Amino acid sequence: MSATGAGGTGAGPAEAVQAEAVQADATRAEICVVACAEAWRGDGEILAAAMGTCSILGARLARLTFEPGLLTTDGGALLTAEPVPLGAPAGPAEGWLPFRDHLWLVQNGRRHVMMGASQIDRYGNTNISAVGAWERPASQLLGVRGAPGNTICNPTSYWIPRHSTRVFVPEVDVASGLGTDRAARLGPRASRFHDLRRVVTDLGVFDFRTPDGSMRLVSVHPGVEVEEIVAATGFPLHGLAEPATGGEVPRTRPPTSAELRLIREVLDVGGLRDREVRA
Amino acid sequence: MAQVSTAPAGPKVTTVEEIVGSLESGMTIGIGGWGSRRKPMALVRAIYRSALEDLTVVSYGGPDVGLLCAAGKVRRLVAPFATLDSVPLEPHFRAARQRGAIELTEYDEGMFMFGLLAAAHRLPFLPTRAGLGSDVMRVNPGLRTVRSPYGPAGEEAEELVAVPALTLDAALVHMDRADTRGNGQYLGPDPYLDDLFAKAATRCYVSCERLVDPGKLGGPPQSLLISRMHVAGVVETPGGGHFTDCGPDLGRDEAFQRHYATSAADPQAWAAFAGRFLSGDEAAYREAVRRWHEERERGEGTR
């Protein structure tokens, strides 16, 4: 792929102007794909495990651009030799990762997973199991799946396509995935592999790098107001107009023209991303 | 060379009815496959029609769990999830949980595998990090932790979850191929955990898409997943994994799965579905599905 490694470096003035023009028409979904991709920056040669359209696209985009060492799957048991476009055949494999080996890899640790969550609280505890009392739920969801093992063993991020107070709750009903407070209570030895990296939503990017491990606003997507995020979040956030940023909340970086080309012309020609995040 | 035995392995070849007839109410039954992938659905449908009740079902849950919940067969479910994969949530499982009809032992996916591994190797438990600090520990108050005897000098030794063995009275798995001796082969990209289910069970029954004579299982030796030493009975059930994914022979019947999921979410629609597809035997099911597809294609053709 000729575009590999063309992650916006060394652009001349003409190309910069062009990038500026393309940025302006990047959709919210495309901004989200790039924000998801950024979660794996610096990870090197590990498995980028992803659930959800923009997150899967992000992993493959990161591999095609600034993080070529990443391993990605076909969504099934194959580690593909090249990142696969959505809906395309897997093509040649470079490895085999059936479910049993995927579960072993979780224990091994060379993996950074980006999961979904039906609920998330200020410490990053997440719920995909059930809403209401676990004993007799008002709404039974998937079950805990691999979330307990993922969060105690691997770096974990989250992709949440619809940021709302239904998802961003003061307290989750069932803790499937461990937050920073639960990890702290386990002690440094038991929680030494716990590593919550970032939360990407359709409105912004968040992390937990605060003194008490609670959620912090890192950046706001272009076209989003901070007030929207505050109104859509069921708990107070750190990072809002902190003095260190001069009162300004940073903007999520827009896609480069090379990234937009890869998303639109290679990875997601059918535009599935726009079904997950409306323009 | 030793003389080649020509003793027929006939007694292992059995029928769906005989297999289900050998099961008893109150048993712990493991079901192979994963979500809506290579599930022994013909055997599950036969349990659905049977008088069995009060079962403990151990499964990476899919429509197997859903159908058995719909029939009121499940007292307790041991599972990390129940999903139809392309349809995220399993409607009958949801309904059973929301009306408090089943007990649930909810484990992390990896914990569940360690439980099968422990049972397969006759160990009382295996240690893992998975589950620590999560609500899996809260909702399973019987779960215990175990401390490592190998603590580094001056430091507290590590405490891990002791996942108890998931020992099974019976396991049901569906293979792409099997021979008449009971050897089972998978031809898709993923074996799932079916060999562990077989080893964790007192008796394992294998259904298969196609039954062949001994020595006639083609394909690479590493696709020979289940040995006859772990198999009590084998039965040929073409389309026996329907509507789950049984690649490469048969992909998931997505249209029919959607029909199942839509019907399952509504009592009246479910009564109609059950009447049409689940009131007869496996041959009647296959014929009803064939006609449903035929009608659907005709319906689309006239639009």
Side-chain angles (χ1 to χ4, degrees):
Chain A
M1 299 226 167
S2 59
T4 301
T9 51
E15 203 173 328
V17 169
Q18 194 198 345
E20 196 69 22
V22 179
Q23 283 166 27
D25 85 326
T27 65
R28 182 69 59 78
E30 287 158 351
I31 289 161
C32 291
V33 170
V34 171
C36 287
E38 284 287 341
W40 286 285
R41 189 183 282 277
D43 278 351
E45 206 157 24
I46 61 157
L47 177 72
M51 296 112 195
T53 302
C54 288
S55 174
I56 290 169
L57 285 170
R60 295 176 187 179
L61 180 67
R63 186 179 171 189
L64 277 177
T65 55
F66 53 80
E67 208 57 48
L70 290 174
L71 291 89
T72 56
T73 74
D74 65 340
L78 300 182
L79 294 166
T80 57
E82 301 297 334
V84 197
L86 287 181
E94 64 173 338
W96 185 46
L97 197 70
F99 282 121
R100 61 180 64 197
D101 289 294
H102 207 136
L103 298 176
W104 289 119
L105 184 67
V106 171
Q107 309 282 323
N108 175 269
R110 294 199 64 79
R111 178 175 180 270
H112 175 178
V113 61
M114 184 174 252
M115 292 191 285
S118 300
Q119 293 180 328
I120 185 167
D121 73 16
R122 64 186 308 181
Y123 296 105
N125 296 293
T126 55
N127 177 14
I128 53 172
S129 174
V131 172
W134 180 88
E135 290 70 18
R136 187 166 171 179
S139 179
Q140 173 67 43
L141 306 174
L142 279 169
V144 295
R145 288 217 72 147
N150 285 344
T151 47
I152 196 74
C153 296
N154 297 170
T156 303
S157 295
Y158 290 96
W159 158 237
I160 294 167
R162 198 167 299 173
H163 191 137
S164 80
T165 50
R166 287 185 56 171
V167 180
F168 285 72
V169 294
E171 201 175 341
V172 296
D173 294 335
V174 182
S176 317
L178 264 67
T180 54
D181 56 342
R182 281 174 178 258
R185 283 202 293 275
L186 283 175
R189 182 150 181 82
S191 66
R192 67 194 187 279
F193 304 122
H194 181 268
D195 185 6
L196 280 194
R197 293 280 178 84
R198 61 165 53 190
V199 178
V200 179
T201 79
D202 58 335
L203 301 182
V205 178
F206 308 82
D207 69 13
F208 300 92
R209 288 180 198 160
T210 52
D212 68 344
S214 65
M215 200 182 292
R216 179 178 75 151
L217 177 60
V218 173
S219 69
V220 181
H221 295 338
V224 177
E225 298 302 324
V226 172
E227 291 70 31
E228 278 181 67
I229 292 178
V230 171
T233 306
F235 50 82
L237 284 163
H238 280 266
L240 296 169
E242 280 168 1
T245 62
E248 285 288 306
V249 180
R251 290 276 156 190
T252 308
R253 85 163 172 87
T256 65
S257 54
E259 286 169 335
L260 276 181
R261 197 165 57 242
L262 285 169
I263 295 168
R264 292 174 180 178
E265 295 170 25
V266 178
L267 290 174
D268 185 25
V269 176
L272 285 174
R273 61 194 179 279
D274 294 322
R275 285 200 215 162
E276 193 173 57
V277 178
R278 302 283 171 193
Chain B
M1 290 295 287
Q3 194 186 336
V4 175
S5 169
T6 55
K12 285 254 178 98
V13 179
T14 181
T15 64
V16 167
E17 286 67 31
E18 274 179 4
I19 291 171
V20 173
S22 81
L23 304 176
E24 290 164 34
S25 292
M27 273 188 167
T28 297
I29 297 181
I31 303 178
W34 177 291
S36 186
R37 305 167 203 227
R38 204 154 45 70
K39 285 286 179 178
M41 295 303 287
L43 292 171
V44 169
R45 283 187 282 269
I47 297 176
Y48 180 99
R49 296 191 300 268
S50 75
L52 290 171
E53 55 186 16
D54 201 29
L55 300 176
T56 293
V57 172
V58 178
S59 176
Y60 284 102
D64 53 330
V65 165
L67 273 182
L68 296 181
C69 285
K73 303 295 187 191
V74 183
R75 181 179 64 80
R76 171 183 291 274
L77 173 67
V78 182
F81 59 75
T83 179
L84 301 174
D85 294 317
S86 54
V87 178
L89 303 181
E90 206 325 311
H92 285 312
F93 163 67
R94 300 190 74 196
R97 280 279 287 149
Q98 289 165 200
R99 64 173 189 271
I102 59 168
E103 293 173 47
L104 180 62
T105 299
E106 186 170 355
Y107 283 171
D108 165 84
E109 290 170 3
M111 287 178 70
F112 187 99
M113 179 176 70
F114 277 78
L116 288 177
L117 266 175
H121 299 97
R122 302 185 293 178
L123 294 168
F125 71 89
L126 278 171
T128 177
R129 245 170 229 113
L132 281 180
S134 78
D135 271 344
V136 164
M137 304 307 286
R138 170 172 71 86
V139 304
N140 295 294
L143 267 180
R144 295 285 176 266
T145 55
V146 61
R147 196 172 287 283
S148 168
Y150 305 111
E155 276 184 55
E156 195 171 68
E158 212 163 336
E159 194 178 4
L160 300 159
V161 181
V163 186
L166 284 171
T167 304
L168 312 169
D169 294 313
L172 310 174
V173 301
H174 186 64
M175 293 284 112
D176 299 303
R177 301 283 182 273
D179 69 19
T180 52
R181 292 175 181 166
N183 296 299
Q185 179 181 42
Y186 77 105
L187 297 174
D190 200 317
Y192 312 121
L193 285 301
D194 286 3
D195 48 338
L196 294 185
F197 277 96
K199 290 174 183 167
T202 308
R203 306 204 303 274
C204 175
Y205 295 106
V206 174
S207 64
C208 64
E209 289 296 317
R210 190 138 57 82
L211 194 63
V212 300
D213 286 331
K216 298 295 181 193
L217 291 167
Q222 59 268 33
S223 65
L224 300 171
L225 184 66
I226 294 180
S227 164
R228 64 187 165 90
M229 73 180 92
H230 295 116
V231 174
V234 60
V235 58
E236 186 177 55
T237 60
H242 183 270
F243 47 92
T244 68
D245 180 11
C246 295
D249 281 357
L250 298 162
R252 186 180 297 129
D253 187 343
E254 295 286 359
F256 191 82
Q257 172 162 291
R258 276 196 301 277
H259 183 50
Y260 162 84
T262 312
S263 305
D266 171 70
Q268 258 186 314
W270 179 250
F273 183 99
R276 180 168 182 182
F277 298 106
L278 300 172
S279 57
D281 63 5
E282 185 66 11
Y285 172 80
R286 291 221 300 272
E287 176 60 14
V289 170
R290 190 189 64 75
R291 286 172 57 183
W292 181 83
H293 273 293
E294 217 173 69
E295 283 169 29
R296 190 169 153 273
E297 276 154 33
R298 228 181 294 137
E300 283 181 359
T302 55
R303 238 176 256 158

